[in-house]
Amino acid sequence: TSVTWLGLAINAVLATGKMLTGWLCYSQAIFADGLHSLSDCVTDVAVLAGIRIADRPADEQHPYGHRRAITLVTAVLGLGLLAAACLIGYRAMRTMAVRTPVPIRVALPLALAIASVLIKELLYRLTARVGRRTGDTSVMANAWHHRTDAFSSIAAAAGLTAVAVGGEKWHFMDHATAIVLASFLILVGVRILRLAAEEIMDRAPDQTMLDEIARAVAATDGVLSFHAIRARSVGDKVEMDVHVQVDPESTVRTGHAIASDVRNAVQQCCPDVVTVIVHIEPTEAD
Ligand SMILES: [Zn+2]
Ligand SMILES: [Zn+2]
């Protein structure tokens, strides 16, 4: 939606402005805050690109489709963020350790941090209103992300205020804030990497979805019982298979129709399930 694009554009402007200012004015805090904005918009763009690749139909070389492209993108993003955050944190710690005075010009970074807090809060309200009106949970999640972004900028603003008020002796607050922000980004990076690792390990979807799938299978006409049901995340989608027991005397045609009904029922309740493989067997088998 257009509010998503607005958020992306504003993040891009904020990222450029903060990182440039951080570099020119020697403020590590605003630079770290800028890295956060940068990672936000890189993530948005990369996910869009990843979904485009993932949606490509299966071909000869990739007979199961390209869904894991998203997992790959996620892993690369996590690694990139982790590396950048570690570098910023390390640099801030080194600056603090060697105690060489850094000629921080605090006015512009501080103004930018405060402006960023206000812009992000505004963006939160705008996005949340659209999210509530459309009932779109991903827009709502985006809104909350904008609000958490505001906290990153609040931290930067607080650190820079200490520098502005306290002068030379309080310069360490700029570096300390950078370390705090970098630590947060390291946590985010680790979480992203863990997510990617879980997907590579064929992690099951959450329990609510599993319950819904099981209910849909059980409720299908002709299904006497079922077992060996399993599902796994593949990129942003889900694949599953299940053994379904039917009347032993039913024809192949009937069995096949039941299998199709099971697939339709599952995809009706959970559209994210892209593949449903149904193994038909007579009631006494296992
Ligand atoms: Zn963010
Ligand atoms: Zn079986």
Side-chain angles (χ1 to χ4, degrees):
T1 59
S2 56
V3 78
T4 311
W5 288 106
L6 179 70
L8 181 60
I10 288 181
N11 268 341
V13 172
L14 285 178
T16 320
K18 287 179 198 167
M19 293 182 84
L20 214 60
T21 306
W23 181 53
L24 292 174
C25 301
Y26 303 99
S27 165
Q28 295 177 337
I30 199 74
F31 191 86
D33 191 32
L35 174 70
H36 181 146
S37 303
L38 180 69
S39 93
D40 282 348
C41 47
V42 169
T43 304
D44 285 352
V45 172
V47 166
L48 285 176
I51 287 177
R52 279 184 72 124
I53 301 174
D55 280 344
R56 277 189 206 156
D59 54 36
E60 231 167 290
Q61 274 74 42
H62 308 92
Y64 289 87
H66 301 81
R67 294 244 73 89
R68 289 222 204 272
I70 294 183
T71 317
L72 199 63
V73 166
T74 311
V76 171
L77 279 177
L79 274 178
L81 182 58
L82 204 59
C86 284
L87 206 69
I88 287 182
Y90 169 73
R91 266 191 44 197
M93 276 192 255
R94 213 184 46 185
T95 319
M96 271 174 101
V98 297
R99 291 168 194 273
T100 37
V102 182
I104 303 175
R105 274 170 295 194
V106 77
L108 190 57
L110 180 56
L112 204 56
I114 293 171
S116 177
V117 174
L118 298 177
I119 290 171
K120 277 294 175 173
E121 177 62 21
L122 217 66
L123 211 50
Y124 160 74
R125 299 202 173 177
L126 204 71
T127 314
R129 207 169 58 193
V130 174
R132 270 194 297 272
R133 204 182 52 217
T134 58
D136 189 332
T137 47
S138 71
V139 173
M140 223 40 218
N142 229 330
W144 278 105
H145 189 145
H146 287 316
R147 191 159 243 192
T148 55
D149 285 348
F151 282 104
S152 170
S153 298
I154 285 176
L160 288 163
T161 304
V163 175
V165 174
E168 191 99 21
K169 252 199 287 194
W170 286 79
H171 273 191
F172 74 91
M173 278 304 285
D174 178 70
H175 320 315
T177 308
I179 292 171
V180 171
L181 294 183
S183 310
F184 174 73
L185 289 178
I186 288 173
L187 288 181
V188 174
V190 168
R191 216 192 59 192
I192 293 175
L193 272 181
R194 253 190 37 200
L195 219 70
E198 289 269 35
E199 263 177 40
I200 292 171
M201 297 299 294
D202 283 345
R203 183 197 164 86
D206 58 50
Q207 193 59 44
T208 21
M209 186 181 216
L210 289 175
D211 291 345
E212 262 181 83
I213 291 174
R215 233 175 290 136
V217 174
T220 306
D221 269 343
V223 175
L224 300 182
S225 73
F226 66 94
H227 59 268
I229 186 168
R230 54 181 191 171
R232 61 192 180 128
S233 311
V234 181
D236 58 338
K237 300 288 192 240
V238 172
E239 295 185 348
M240 65 155 291
D241 48 71
V242 60
H243 293 195
V244 159
Q245 300 200 324
V246 301
D247 176 0
E249 306 307 326
S250 54
T251 60
V252 170
R253 181 178 289 126
T254 311
H256 177 252
I258 293 171
S260 301
D261 288 349
V262 167
R263 188 194 59 214
N264 291 337
V266 168
Q267 290 184 329
Q268 192 103 82
C269 81
C270 310
D272 280 343
V273 182
V274 286
T275 308
V276 182
I277 295 170
V278 181
H279 173 75
I280 294 285
E281 49 190 63
T283 29
E284 61 266 23
D286 47 31

